[in-house]
């Protein structure tokens, strides 16, 4: 795993690059550790409060540890009427966790999201940003089985 | 039935987006060459003459916007492509970028030449990492071919904030800050990214530009509706038979979109409502379906064209349930900078939850109308100003759904 210090340092010369740096850290760690926020503050010349403010403003970024597989269920109106609620309940049931939680083995995190722009096949989930369109509650066990 | 008209999606399905030669062989980058043989003022005049208006939702005349930035003296100017497509039910910009990225680059480069900018950014939403990869590959090909000349394009990734579709919030985000909208004026064409003159246009707007330069402003001005000429890319979602993407002239009616291109309502059910333009758009009843989709016709019926999302609901849908979900969306996406939006979206969501749960009264409906009226004038940016629209338009057109739940 690449060190967060190295990752952040590689964006030092990018004006306004803190968000790009956070994305890069998150690609490695699945979240942004507190030390990485502190590091980013130093590299980009911000106070720690400002760096934390940026990290927590954006819903795609997380400062809390998350699982290896981040499952996000779209809850925007087109997915809502297509049965998003049943799908999220099926995930909660299958994983034994509620939305916002991570399984004890650190494998899965379940989150809600707003529209992910794949509305040709509602309802939509993403697993580590990969979209799955037209998902039904019945498909949930098979989808989870694909995550090794 | 009316026909599709492909201007923006002219190369859709015809070229390999990751083979720049395909784009060039289809006539690509000739318009940029032509623009560079014209004076900057003439390029802007041509775009003004076309009456191309912003495709992201605000509908501002693109050539006029460019002219503001052109007229400002500065050591550096910027061109930003707004690809932070976050409007629920919208995926047109993804379709454009995935299928024809160079059409977007060419439009940006023409804008850069016209206003005197040598640097462009594409701010692409974080939910599309696969699009970011594709854009970066296509940019590398354009650089290797040298077609962009001195004009440089860099892709920046958003991180899941709907408000960053607002141009000054987007600029804040590129600068590495929280994506909170700025006070205006000054507007970005005068003082935008790092305080420099900046043009922010939507993906679809830029994808029109090369065609305008190639075929002329008069040609474009003659397409579709006179006051908002050209085509619009629409994404059809909800209870419509064909959940798909189409591009139609702007004088096409809503009825043609839903019952012609969309194939009507699923499962033999009846139409109840359509929300156009994204989740902040007004809800439209059957009686207004013969309205053309152009910007001004939509505004005249209290709706918007917005991003071009077309969200169809059949007779079985509970409007209060859908609008409560939408109110929850705005409560979540409000950035919190201004009080009317921060507090207003929260109270509106509370009231909608109360009505949905059967505990609401006529007084709550009146309160929502009053609150919505205040938000639409007092909020700092378009997010808060438009947020009450689904509530207000459904109270007007679908009052029976509310009354059925009141105490």
């Amino acid at each position: 795993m690449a060190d967060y210090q190295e990752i952040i340092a590689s964006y030092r010369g990018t004006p306004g690059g803190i968000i790009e740096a956070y994305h890069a850290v998150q690609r490695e760690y699945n979240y942004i550790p507190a030390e990485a926020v502190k590091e980013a503050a130093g590299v980009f010349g911000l106070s720690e409060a400002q760096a934390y403010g940026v990290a927590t403003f954006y819903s795609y970024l997380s400062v809390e540890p998350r699982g290896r597989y981040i499952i996000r269920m779209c809850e925007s109106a087109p997915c809502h009427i297509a049965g998003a609620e049943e799908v999220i309940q099926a995930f909660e049931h299958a994983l034994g966790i509620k939305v916002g939680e991570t399984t004890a083995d650190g494998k899965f995190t379940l989150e809600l999201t707003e529209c992910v722009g794949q509305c040709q096949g509602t309802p939509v989930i993403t697993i580590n940003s990969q979209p799955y369109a037209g998902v039904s509650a019945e498909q949930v066990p098979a989808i989870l089985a694909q995550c090794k | 039935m009316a026909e599709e008209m492909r201007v923006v999606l002219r190369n859709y399905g015809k070229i390999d987006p990751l083979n720049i030669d395909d784009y060039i062989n289809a006539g690509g980058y000739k318009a940029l060459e032509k623009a560079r043989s014209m004076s900057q003022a003439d390029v802007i005049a041509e775009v003004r003459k076309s009456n191309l208006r912003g495709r992201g939702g605000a509908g501002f005349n693109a050539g006029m916007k460019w002219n503001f930035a052109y007229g400002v003296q500065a050591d550096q100017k910027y061109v930003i492509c707004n690809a932070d497509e976050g409007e629920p039910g919208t995926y047109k910009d993804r379709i454009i970028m995935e299928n024809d990225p160079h059409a977007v680059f060419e439009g940006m480069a023409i804008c850069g030449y016209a206003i005197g900018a040598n640097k462009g950014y594409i701010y692409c939403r974080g939910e599309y990492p696969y699009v970011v990869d594709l854009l970066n590959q296509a940019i590398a090909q354009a650089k290797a071919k040298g077609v962009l000349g001195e004009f440089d394009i860099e892709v920046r990734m958003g991180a899941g904030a709907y408000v960053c579709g607002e141009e000054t919030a987007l600029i804040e985000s590129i600068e590495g800050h929280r994506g909170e909208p700025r006070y205006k004026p000054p507007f970005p064409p005068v003082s935008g990214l790092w305080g420099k003159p900046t043009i922010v246009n939507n993906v679809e707007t830029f994808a029109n530009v090369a065609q305008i330069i190639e075929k002329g402003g008069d040609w474009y001005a003659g397409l579709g509706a006179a006051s908002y000429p050209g085509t619009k890319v629409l994404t059809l979602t909800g209870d419509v038979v064909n959940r798909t993407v189409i591009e139609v002239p702007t004088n096409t009616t809503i009825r043609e979109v839903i019952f012609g291109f969309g194939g009507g309502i699923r499962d033999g059910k009846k139409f109840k409502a359509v929300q156009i333009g994204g989740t902040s758009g007004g809800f439209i009843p059957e009686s207004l379906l013969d309205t053309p989709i152009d910007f001004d016709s939509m505004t005249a019926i209290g709706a918007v064209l917005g991003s071009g999302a077309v969200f169809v609901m059949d007779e079985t849908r509970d409007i209060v349930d859908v609008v409560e979900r939408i109110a929850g969306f705005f409560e979540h996406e409000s950035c919190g900078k201004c009080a009317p939006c921060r507090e207003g979206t929260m109270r509106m969501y509370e009231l909608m939850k109360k009505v949905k749960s059967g505990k609401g009264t006529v007084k709550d409906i009146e309160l929502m109308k009053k609150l919505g009226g205040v938000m639409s004038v007092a909020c700092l940016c378009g997010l808060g100003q438009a947020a009450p629209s689904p509530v207000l338009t459904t109270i007007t057109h679908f009052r029976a759904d509310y009354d059925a739940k009141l105490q």
Side-chain angles (χ1 to χ4, degrees), chain A residues 15 20 58-59 75 115 117, chain B residues 94 125 130 156-157 160 177 325:
Chain A
E20 293 289 317
Y58 297 93
S59 65
E75 57 166 352
C115 188
Chain B
R94 172 173 65 78
R125 66 183 310 211
Y130 38 90
R156 288 293 179 93
M157 203 164 160
H177 306 140
R325 177 72 274 286

Side-chain angles (χ1 to χ4, degrees), chain B residues 320-398:
Chain B
V320 172
D321 170 64
V322 177
V323 175
E324 186 244 15
R325 177 72 274 286
I326 291 170
F329 171 86
F330 284 113
E331 189 262 350
H332 180 254
E333 295 295 340
S334 173
C335 80
K337 177 166 178 165
C338 77
C341 180
R342 183 180 63 238
E343 302 296 321
T345 54
M346 182 183 80
R347 296 300 174 201
M348 194 68 97
Y349 184 36
E350 257 177 25
L351 288 162
M352 281 305 302
K353 279 194 284 193
K354 188 178 172 192
V355 171
K356 186 186 163 186
S357 70
K359 294 183 188 128
T361 62
V362 174
K363 233 175 122 183
D364 292 320
I365 302 290
E366 292 309 311
L367 193 54
M368 286 197 289
K369 283 162 76 172
K370 194 172 170 188
L371 174 62
V374 170
M375 288 172 68
S376 62
V377 293
C379 289
L380 174 62
C381 83
L383 188 156
Q385 290 162 11
S389 175
V391 177
L392 299 177
T393 54
T394 51
I395 290 174
T396 302
H397 297 303
F398 301 94

Side-chain angles (χ1 to χ4, degrees), chain A residues 15-67:
Chain A
I18 187 169
I19 296 169
E20 293 289 317
Y22 281 156
H23 274 301
V25 169
Q26 201 166 269
R27 278 193 287 272
E28 283 291 323
Y29 292 75
N30 266 355
Y31 80 110
I32 307 163
E35 313 84 69
V37 174
K38 198 173 170 181
E39 177 76 13
V43 168
F44 292 98
L46 304 170
S47 70
E48 280 181 46
Q50 284 170 322
Y52 182 77
V54 173
T56 54
F57 182 83
Y58 297 93
S59 65
Y60 213 72
L61 305 176
S62 174
V63 294
E64 302 293 334
R66 294 186 292 183

